[in-house]
Every structure is written in C-alpha cells, then in structure tokens.
Amino acid sequence: MPATTLAATERPDLFVVRRRRSGVLGFLIGNPRITIGGGMLALVVLMAICAPLLATHDPLSLAPWLRARFPSAEHWFGTDMLGRDIYSRVIYGARVSLTVGISVAVLTSVVGLFIGLIAGYLRWADGILMRVMDGLMAIPSILLAVALMALTRGSMVNVIIAVTIADIPRMCRLVRGVVLSAREQPYVEAAVATGTRTHVIIRRHILPNTLAPMIVQATYICASAMIVEAILSFIGAGTPPTTPSWGNIMAEGRALWQIKPFIVFFPAVFLSVTVLAVNLLGDGLRDLLDPRAATRT
Amino acid sequence: MSLLEIEGLRVQFRTATGVSRAVDGLSLSVDAGQVLAIVGESGCGKSVTAMAILGLLPEGISRADGTIRFEGRDLLALTDREMQKIRGKAVSMVFQEPMTSLNPVLTVGRQIGETLRLHEGLGRRATEARALEMLRLVGIPEPERRLKQYPHELSGGMRQRVMIAMALACNPRLLIADEPTTALDVTVQAQILDLMRDLIGRTGTGMVLITHDFGVVAEMAQRVVVMYAGRKVEEAPVRDLFAAPRHPYTRALLDSMPRLTEGGEAPEELTEIPGVVPALTEPVRACTFEPRCPRASDQCRTLYPPFRECGDDHMVACWNPEPQPDAAVAEPRRQGEMKA
Amino acid sequence: MSQTPPVLDVRDLSKTFAIRRSFFGRGGGAVHAVDGISFAIAEGETLGLVGESGCGKSTAGRAILRLTEPTAGEVWLDGERIDGLGAGEMRLKRRDIQVVFQDPYSSLNPRLRARDIVAEPLRNFASAIPGGIEERVADLFDRVGLRPDQMDRFPHEFSGGQRQRLVIARALALKPRVIICDEAVSALDVSVQAQVINLLARLQRETGVAFLFISHDLAVVEHVSHRVAVMYLGRIVEIADKAALYGQPRHPYTQALLSAAPVPDPDGRRDRTILKGEVPSPINRPSGCHFRTRCPSAAAECAKVSPVLRDVGGNHHVACHLVEG
C-alpha cells in the first residue's frame, strides 16, 4: 500500500497542460473568433475610412455608354445599369452599412439601458414600460421603416431611427432582466444594509453587471441592423438611390440578375462577410465575458 | 474478495492554472454489508472519488487511472454502455440535492419504473407494483398518490426518500451516497439516516458514505477514511478513529467541531486549523498538511509520509502521528468531554 | 439582563407574504413567515435563533434589518423605534445594525477589490467618521486577521473563510451595536468555521457588539450564544439561557431537535425521539399549537388554543400547554 501512495507522486501526470501564451498574441490565439471576427471587421472599417483612396472611380459619376459591363481591368467588379463603377460603389457602400449598424447599436444601448434600469428598479414603472415595449416588439421593423419613409423622405437618418425603435425592446428587456437578478444578489442587499445610497448601488453594483451582456447584444443588433438597412434599400424604402449602399446596388442589379449576376454578387458578398464578422465577434465576446467562465479561474 | 476495491486511483482535471490532482493515489476497499465513510472538507477529493466509481467524471476535462474493481471487474476499463448496465442496478447512488437528481417532468412512479424497466425488464404492471413496494419500504405515506406526483410536489425529505427508493429498486450490491442528508433538516436527517441504516442492515448492501459531518459518520459507518487534499491520510474502524485519531488533521477536525454539551461546560475557544488547504495544482513533495500542522518536523518538509500501519487495523500517513494513548486513558477523555 | 435598555428589542414582529391568486382563481391566502415574535438582546450578548428551514428565522432577520418590510410589530434599536422610519432616516440607522449572510461568495461584489469592499460603508458615512478611510480599512483588515498585502485582491482570490472575514470586516466598519449573523458559518468547512466562530467571539469581547445568531446548527448555536430562542412555523416556542435550554429543554419540539442531532461519538447512539413527518406548510398551519401534528404528547386542548410563551421559572419561556410551572 505505501508503494502506491508514493508512486502516485512519481507517476507522470495524466494531462500535459500547455502553458497559455500571455500577452496580446496569447489572447489572439486563445480567442480565435474574436481575432477573426475583429480582424475582418477592422478591414471593412479601414476600407470605409480609406474609400477615397481605394476607389478607382467616382462612385456617383454616370457613364451610360458603359452600361452593365462585365468585370475587367478597368472596372474590377464591372459596371451597373448606369455605367457606374461597382467596385468603387461597393467600397463607399461600406460607409452606409457601418454607419447604420454602429449608430443603431449605440442608440439602442443608450436608450435600452436607460429604460431597462428604470423598469428594473421602479416597480410601478415596470408594468407600463414593459407593455409599451411589448407593443413595439409586435411591429416588424421593416414595416415601421416603410411607414416612416412614406411619411418623410428616404434618408439614412430615417433608416437609423426606424431600426433603432424596433430594436430598443430587445436591449431593454435584457437590461431589465440583468437588473432584476442583480438586485437579488446578497452583495446588493449587503450594500443596502451598510447604508449605501441607491444611485451608488446602481452605479457600482448593478451597472457593471449589465455591460458584458449589453456589448454582446449590441453586436448582434449591429449585424441585424446592417441586414435590415440592405433590405430597406433593396425594396426602395431606405437610403436614397443615389447614395451608394450595398442594398441599393443589389436593388439596381435585380432586373439583370440572370444575365449579369455580378452586379448583385459583389455587394452581397461584402454584406455577408461584414455581418459574419460582427456575429463572430459577438460570439467570441459572449464566451469571453460570460461570468461563469470568468469565475472559473 | 471485497465488494469494491480501489487501488492507486488518480483523478486529474485540466484547469486554467494547470493540472489539478483531485484524487492522488487513493486505495480502499468495501465489503458487502459494510458502510465505509469517506470524510474530509470541501475539495479533498471525496465527491470526485464517488464520480469516478460511478463513471460520471466529466469527459474531456478529466482523466482517471488506477483500478476500481467491483466484484472483480475493473470499472475504469469498461465502456460507457457496459458502465450504464451496472450503474443504477448493481451500483447505485444517492446525491445531496434530490431536486437536481430527479427529472422534473416525470412522475415519481415513472422515474422509479424507468430504472426497473431498463435493468430488470419488468412489464408495466410488475413495474408499478414494485415501485409501490419501494415507496412503502422507504416510509412514504400514501404511496399510491405519490406515484402520480411530480418531484416539485414533494418536500425535500420526501424527495430524498424517493431517491433512496430509486437507488434500492434494483437491489444494488453497492450504494454510493454523497452527502445524502446535508440538504435536510435535523429532524428529517434523523429519519433518513435511520431508514438507510435499517435498509442496509436488511439487504446486505455495501455502502460508500461521503460526508463532511462526523456526526453522520458516527451514526452510520463501520470504517472511516479521512481525506486531505486528494489523499487518504488516515483509515481506521470508526470507534478507534473517534477514540484515538492518529493524524493531526483528523484530531484537529474533531476538536474544531462545536459539540452539544447538554447544558454542560463548553470550551471557551474552538480549536482552529490555521491557514488554508493547499492548491491541488501544486506538485507534491512534502506533506501537504505540514504548513498547518502543530506536530510538523523537518522530515515533514522534505518527503510525503508513507501510508502505514500505526496500530491494530489503524493506518495513517504521518511522520509524527499523535501518540498512541493508553487504551484505559483514551476512552474517558473523549467521552468525558461530551457527557460531562 | 441588565438595567440599561436592550440594544435590540423586537416586539410582536410579523411578516406575512401574500400569495397572488392564479389566473383561474386558485391559490390566494398568505404565508405567515414570522408570526408575532418578541425578544431583546443586551449589549455584548448573543442570542441564538434556531429552527429548521422554513421556520421564519431568516425572514425575521431580514424584517429587523428592513431588507423586507415587516407586516406588524415594533423594532427598537438602542431605545429608538426603527420599523416606521423613512428610507433616509433608516439609512442613518444602518450604522448601528449590520448583517453577515451565509454565502461569502455571493455577499461580495466580484468586481470590487477587497479594500473597496471594506471601505464602502465608511464612504457611505464619510462625513460622520473621524480619521482617514485608508487607516480604518487597514485596521479592520488587521482585526479580522487578513494581511495588508491582500487589500488589492479580488474576492475570487480569497478562500471561503477569508471571504467571510472580509464580510465581517465590512460589517464591523461602522462600529455597529448589533450584527445579525444569518447562517454566517453554515457554508464553511469545519476547520474554517471554527476560525470564524472564534473571531466573532473575540470581536464581541473587544467591542461589546451584540449578535443575533441565526442558524440551523444546534451545536454551533450552543457554542456561540448566551441565550437561545427556538422557532417553529413562524413562532418562538421556547427561549431561555443556553444552559437551561440545552440542559433541560421543556418544549417537546426543542427536545426532539436536540435528540435528532447526530452526535460525533459512535457509542453515543442514544434512544432518540424521532419526529414523524415533516414541517407543515406555512400556508396551511395546523390550528392551535402548530407543532401538535408532530408532537408525541399532543392533547385535545392543543388543537383548540394557541399556547403563549410564558415564564416557567428562571427566565425560561415556553409556549406549550403541557409544560407545568
């Protein structure tokens, strides 16, 4: 019997645990989804910022004599029905998608956090606010946007407002849920018992809990806002047709889809890749910020 | 041959900070009809041992080696399918929290029946009759009505009785009970302990009782294994262990418990064990209890002590065990402390 | 106990939770979690409050702390009534009454450093507290046996026992008159539990703080308390000095509780009265004496009349028809 006890210390371990690399590189290797998603998104952002440098033509200049040409050395992605350079339009289109996606994500976060905190903290306000949110949730964002466009003019700001209104309930419910469960935590009760003022409790003990899930939710909202923007442009209820947005380019190529598929193809690929990048980043962040994973260390 | 024989069992977990040696070279054996208690504080490896016996270690992040022989078959070498045939039939289990171990969407009758149908191949009517018989056996009032109820409709004590009924339905030869009464109130705990003792006495089932409560050990066990930081530090028959613990850790554990005095004089201060349990990821060279031990010497700081005989059927892993007391003096000392 | 008024005086405290009717009109009614309990605690005294789960002991603690609003009754802290105070006034009173919860993991905000956790109560009343907060925090760390170099750590870097020390340091920060310990050592391992119990006893000797020690563990309560109250289904059934309650328990429920506790002695398996059945639901409590359905010596009278707590001699109060004296 002593032999086995002693041997236990001398036998090699059943696992070989590779040491995690530390530093930035270690983080990037350890979180491939954040690395890939964030990297791809960074490229798209860079592309949008540097659009004037990258574009080979003026995205707005018409050239009717060059209508719907196949890709060539001069026009890398070909030209559309009005002879505009699709490559340059796609590059500039990234600006629209990113602006809409990021604006909607930020706006829903700010408004959702505010309403969610009130609903989670004031019992009497909770019932009213949540019924309003239920009502908003019942309206499809596309219908809301179409109605808004019908009342005003098609513009990017209107697209942002329409999508934001439709997405606020999602963020609001999330924040409210986090606040309600955080309030039950013994450490929040302990803070009450030690005489901490309510606004300090919210700021110090409750708000930090909402941040991680909010960031994750915001990335998903950003991705879906970009898709909704493209759909709205595609059906003609979004950004004005002169503005180069991926949805607009696709809308223009719709009629020629069977004979000139490249007009739809290139903006579609860019939209898909960007949405995929944002979603990958969101998934990576969710796993990284998951409190259960965090407490394991 | 013993019913259960564990030899050199090691269980390790992959964690963010390295390899955690949850169980490190554990050996023990249980005979039919015997209750062996494994005691220790949280993180000592007692529950992991139970999981290893039942083949329930989480895949991917844990590995085990050594041997766990049950009636001569090495359980660690079995496939999942073979293990499933043994688990719940020849070896069954009772866990601490009956609510999480019972399926919330199945009635009590169905859950007991499931085990019976799976392992015994009984028909519908026979299953129902047997389930009813089991509920009666574990002292559940109105068993006919309970059969049709869902776990959430039962109280904690009732749920634990249902767990025991399920565990015993297929006449297991070995029962693994992991903190079976820890979640229960004292008056209900007393009922459940009585019930388990009675059933085991009647059926000759062997039992591994995992607990942190020396009161439960004294009530139930014939033999005790004390674990510290993944290793067995002492093993003895229950009376010897309580009368004369030889490992300084066991001694300190017993002394640090507040005891009921029936109105008598209580000690002013409880014995503390200074410091904290070592991290299981640290490689072991010296005795793991040495930093907290009042009897530590230089030898303790250089080499882990072998597990050796230190008295009649009493084994300890310690270079400087507590002195063997005179049999005549030892008894009244502990007794006196409690009955005074 | 003494001439000075008690530090904490609880009179006929009740807490009832209404059960909302379901959509089909089922349910309704109320849970009488705490049903008119009274006790007083003097300076430097520890009153143990024992009972099984669901007896209302934790709700009683929370109602005294106003973490839940009491339904009826009075709570007097240092001669001042606090149960009706508004939020602002109550906040000021919280300096004198603190709490230690069972679970040291969830009682500490995982995102704050140890020093900020202990400093929080001090910052809440910064104007009323003399001296620098930093020195006070260092002193508190020292008093509960934590090292100064641990101040910048986060809760998950501490062991369970050390976390409970942090919780105790936070509770002590404002020099309270009473600390309510709600199962304060129940989640700890035996050896660590002993450390924390000794720490609490030492702090009481040093500061004269009073404890309301709520626990289900009879042995722990006997060790730490001067007097002990036993609760069953929302009511106190027996309250007496520790020696009397553990030495000559008078209420059949107290007797059964003591007899059911497992004793760490293999030869001490005594004849015990094992109670039949389980605690009835606090929604449908038995009439008269709530304990009568499980009582080994219940009589006809017990179903009709609720027994009241009365002195049976030597400051020993029992609520039972069958006890003489």
Side-chain angles (χ1 to χ4, degrees):
Chain A
M1 197 90 71
T4 44
T5 315
L6 272 185
T9 45
E10 283 146 21
R11 279 185 286 169
D13 279 334
L14 301 171
F15 280 112
V16 182
V17 169
R18 266 171 283 131
R19 272 189 61 81
R20 284 258 182 90
R21 283 165 183 257
S22 53
V24 178
L25 194 66
F27 176 84
L28 292 178
I29 291 171
N31 300 282
R33 276 182 297 185
I34 292 183
T35 312
I36 297 171
M40 276 161 41
L41 189 65
L43 282 180
V44 177
V45 170
L46 205 68
M47 189 177 89
I49 293 171
C50 303
L53 300 175
L54 292 170
T56 51
H57 293 77
D58 179 354
L60 299 178
S61 76
L62 306 175
W65 59 92
L66 285 172
R67 277 161 50 174
R69 293 292 167 90
F70 275 91
S72 62
E74 173 66 18
H75 299 285
W76 296 347
F77 292 176
T79 61
D80 67 7
M81 307 238 310
L82 300 173
R84 291 174 296 198
D85 180 53
I86 295 178
Y87 166 72
S88 303
R89 286 180 71 76
V90 166
I91 298 286
Y92 272 94
R95 291 185 161 188
V96 175
S97 283
L98 288 174
T99 309
V100 171
I102 293 170
S103 308
V104 170
V106 170
L107 283 175
T108 47
S109 300
V110 172
V111 181
L113 177 66
F114 186 70
I115 301 177
L117 275 181
I118 294 175
Y121 231 90
L122 299 177
R123 186 161 285 196
W124 61 267
D126 186 30
I128 305 168
L129 285 171
M130 281 301 119
R131 294 300 82 73
V132 173
M133 291 299 137
D134 288 345
L136 277 183
M137 254 183 149
I139 306 172
S141 59
I142 293 182
L143 277 189
L144 191 68
V146 171
L148 213 60
M149 297 309 148
L151 288 176
T152 60
R153 280 183 317 112
S155 77
M156 201 161 77
V157 174
N158 278 340
V159 171
I160 292 171
I161 292 172
V163 181
T164 303
I165 289 175
D167 276 345
I168 281 174
R170 278 161 75 184
M171 189 61 91
C172 191
R173 284 171 165 268
L174 176 91
V175 174
R176 172 179 173 267
V178 175
V179 171
L180 284 180
S181 71
R183 278 185 70 179
E184 301 285 311
Q185 288 293 319
Y187 66 79
V188 175
E189 293 213 312
V192 174
T194 51
T196 312
R197 290 187 176 86
T198 307
H199 67 92
V200 179
I201 290 179
I202 291 179
R203 202 180 59 228
R204 190 183 297 160
H205 299 293
I206 291 184
L207 265 187
N209 285 307
T210 64
L211 276 186
M214 269 179 64
I215 290 173
V216 174
Q217 180 76 295
T219 58
Y220 294 140
I221 285 180
C222 174
S224 82
M226 290 196 284
I227 291 177
V228 172
E229 184 275 325
I231 293 173
L232 286 173
S233 298
F234 191 77
I235 62 175
T239 45
T242 46
T243 315
S245 94
W246 293 337
N248 280 339
I249 305 171
M250 285 191 272
E252 281 148 20
R254 183 171 43 180
L256 293 176
W257 162 244
Q258 302 211 317
I259 42 173
K260 303 278 167 67
F262 58 89
I263 303 181
V264 173
F265 176 76
F266 287 108
V269 167
F270 273 77
L271 178 65
S272 308
V273 167
T274 310
V275 168
L276 178 70
V278 174
N279 277 331
L280 270 179
L281 186 66
D283 283 348
L285 285 173
R286 186 194 56 211
D287 291 355
L288 185 73
L289 300 173
D290 188 336
R292 273 166 302 172
T295 51
R296 230 182 281 145
T297 51
Chain B
M1 187 181 66
S2 298
L3 183 68
L4 177 76
E5 245 170 354
I6 299 181
E7 243 181 70
L9 175 71
R10 292 195 304 166
V11 182
Q12 303 188 340
F13 288 86
R14 191 194 347 238
T15 70
T17 47
V19 177
S20 169
R21 298 164 192 86
V23 178
D24 204 6
L26 176 73
S27 302
L28 55 83
S29 73
V30 185
D31 293 327
Q34 189 189 43
V35 179
L36 174 92
I38 305 182
V39 256
E41 299 182 283
S42 46
C44 74
K46 56 191 195 301
S47 290
V48 175
T49 305
M51 298 307 233
I53 298 171
L54 293 161
L56 293 174
L57 290 170
E59 265 172 61
I61 58 160
S62 68
R63 282 182 199 167
D65 79 346
T67 52
I68 301 177
R69 251 191 302 281
F70 172 69
E71 296 179 331
R73 293 172 80 186
D74 186 359
L75 298 184
L76 282 181
L78 296 185
T79 63
D80 283 355
R81 284 185 70 88
E82 289 170 319
M83 194 62 217
Q84 250 168 30
K85 280 187 196 151
I86 292 183
R87 189 168 53 220
K89 179 169 168 60
V91 182
S92 62
M93 57 249 164
V94 177
F95 291 120
Q96 171 172 354
E97 203 3 272
M99 196 61 210
T100 50
S101 320
L102 290 172
N103 185 338
V105 298
L106 290 184
T107 61
V108 166
R110 278 287 294 279
Q111 300 201 42
I112 304 177
E114 208 99 301
T115 335
L116 286 166
R117 228 174 324 216
L118 193 70
H119 293 300
E120 310 272 309
L122 292 182
R124 229 175 61 91
R125 298 209 67 83
T127 311
E128 194 157 306
R130 175 91 176 127
L132 206 60
E133 185 193 330
M134 289 315 298
L135 288 188
R136 271 206 197 94
L137 186 71
V138 296
I140 288 184
E142 307 174 78
E144 289 87 354
R145 195 163 68 84
R146 301 289 180 192
L147 272 184
K148 297 188 183 65
Q149 288 188 320
Y150 291 90
H152 70 89
E153 297 176 83
L154 305 177
S155 67
M158 283 299 154
R159 284 198 286 262
Q160 200 57 298
R161 283 169 193 264
V162 169
M163 276 295 290
I164 293 171
M166 280 172 68
L168 296 180
C170 299
N171 297 315
R173 297 185 289 286
L174 178 67
L175 182 67
I176 314 278
D178 188 355
E179 305 272 7
T181 58
T182 304
L184 304 175
D185 282 321
V186 263
T187 57
V188 182
Q189 166 170 290
Q191 296 168 0
I192 298 286
L193 291 181
D194 261 22
L195 170 72
M196 291 205 299
R197 200 167 38 233
D198 177 51
L199 292 175
I200 284 191
R202 251 194 281 170
T203 56
T205 307
M207 176 164 164
V208 178
L209 172 72
I210 286 159
T211 180
H212 69 283
D213 187 336
F214 275 105
V216 173
V217 173
E219 296 261 334
M220 297 289 295
Q222 279 109 48
R223 224 180 148 69
V224 188
V225 164
V226 182
M227 284 184 77
Y228 182 75
R231 294 169 177 228
K232 178 163 77 166
V233 294
E234 185 161 10
E235 177 173 356
V238 69
R239 277 199 174 72
D240 295 351
L241 190 93
F242 280 86
R246 302 296 303 277
H247 199 287
Y249 175 63
T250 315
R251 151 120 270 162
L253 268 187
L254 282 165
D255 287 351
S256 64
M257 286 175 67
R259 290 156 191 264
L260 291 173
T261 64
E262 300 180 11
E265 220 29 61
E268 182 74 6
E269 288 234 305
L270 295 169
T271 309
E272 295 178 17
I273 305 181
V276 292
V277 180
L280 296 169
T281 45
E282 293 296 314
V284 176
R285 289 268 164 271
C287 174
T288 45
F289 188 60
E290 178 272 325
R292 310 175 72 187
C293 183
R295 305 176 61 82
S297 66
D298 281 344
Q299 195 174 20
C300 306
R301 282 181 270 276
T302 47
L303 197 62
Y304 194 88
F307 197 72
R308 57 183 176 176
E309 198 100 2
C310 67
D312 190 22
D313 195 23
H314 196 144
M315 281 170 296
V316 70
C318 181
W319 293 115
N320 310 308
E322 300 274 337
Q324 169 95 52
D326 265 342
V329 187
E331 277 299 304
R333 191 196 171 289
R334 295 219 67 80
Q335 295 287 307
E337 227 176 65
M338 294 189 353
K339 293 272 164 71
Chain C
M1 192 139 233
S2 62
Q3 275 70 43
T4 52
V7 174
L8 181 69
D9 193 355
V10 174
R11 299 175 193 165
D12 285 321
L13 186 75
S14 293
K15 175 67 192 178
T16 310
F17 296 99
I19 304 174
R20 230 195 290 178
R21 253 165 212 289
S22 75
F23 185 70
F24 297 103
R26 283 200 225 141
V31 180
H32 299 273
V34 180
D35 189 9
I37 62 169
S38 304
F39 56 79
I41 309 177
E43 184 167 4
E45 190 189 32
T46 300
L47 175 72
L49 191 58
V50 277
E52 297 180 282
S53 51
C55 74
K57 56 190 191 300
S58 285
T59 308
R62 293 169 52 83
I64 294 167
L65 286 159
R66 301 264 317 266
L67 290 174
T68 179
E69 286 303 317
T71 314
E74 299 172 10
V75 179
W76 294 73
L77 181 62
D78 247 340
E80 212 181 314
R81 197 171 158 181
I82 61 165
D83 53 278
L85 293 183
E89 285 170 291
M90 186 60 211
R91 197 182 80 83
L92 296 178
K93 279 282 144 201
R94 293 199 183 280
R95 275 179 293 182
D96 291 330
I97 182 160
Q98 287 292 314
V99 63
V100 174
F101 289 119
Q102 168 170 10
D103 182 7
Y105 293 78
S106 55
S107 309
L108 299 170
N109 186 340
R111 291 184 179 81
L112 296 185
R113 291 180 193 278
R115 74 160 73 232
D116 294 319
I117 288 169
V118 177
E120 176 163 48
L122 296 169
R123 295 205 178 108
N124 291 338
F125 298 99
S127 55
I129 285 162
I133 284 176
E134 285 299 305
E135 293 95 85
R136 289 291 302 277
V137 171
D139 176 53
L140 286 163
F141 262 66
D142 183 52
R143 299 252 303 274
V144 299
L146 291 170
R147 296 193 311 273
D149 62 279
Q150 293 170 321
M151 279 205 250
D152 284 318
R153 295 198 190 164
F154 287 99
H156 69 87
E157 295 172 82
F158 291 92
S159 71
Q162 290 172 327
R163 265 181 268 222
Q164 202 60 307
R165 287 173 193 267
L166 265 182
V167 174
I168 292 169
R170 174 175 64 190
L172 280 176
L174 297 168
K175 301 189 174 154
R177 306 272 288 142
V178 195
I179 297 180
I180 294 183
C181 300
D182 188 357
E183 301 277 7
V185 298
S186 307
L188 305 174
D189 274 320
V190 193
S191 66
V192 181
Q193 177 178 303
Q195 295 174 3
V196 174
I197 289 174
N198 286 344
L199 172 67
L200 289 173
R202 202 190 76 224
L203 293 170
Q204 185 169 55
R205 282 197 302 275
E206 289 171 6
T207 64
V209 65
F211 288 122
L212 174 62
F213 197 91
I214 300 169
S215 177
H216 70 281
D217 189 322
L218 295 155
V220 169
V221 167
E222 176 176 13
H223 186 86
V224 302
S225 307
H226 301 105
R227 280 187 308 135
V228 178
V230 181
M231 274 184 85
Y232 188 80
L233 274 179
R235 292 183 185 164
I236 290 179
V237 296
E238 184 163 10
I239 178 166
D241 287 341
K242 169 172 75 175
L245 192 113
Y246 282 81
Q248 294 98 37
R250 304 294 295 273
H251 198 283
Y253 177 62
T254 314
Q255 290 166 355
L257 263 188
L258 286 169
S259 137
V263 173
D265 174 10
D267 296 310
R269 293 171 186 169
R270 302 151 302 172
D271 293 333
R272 49 167 49 152
T273 24
I274 290 190
L275 289 179
K276 298 254 161 33
E278 297 179 31
V279 184
S281 144
I283 306 169
N284 297 308
R285 298 173 302 174
S287 66
C289 173
H290 297 334
F291 184 59
R292 71 180 163 83
T293 50
R294 300 173 77 195
C295 184
S297 41
E301 187 194 4
C302 302
K304 291 175 199 135
V305 187
S306 283
V308 287
L309 264 184
R310 62 205 162 84
D311 200 334
V312 293
N315 213 9
H316 192 146
H317 294 75
V318 186
C320 179
H321 296 305
L322 308 163
V323 174
E324 280 135 45

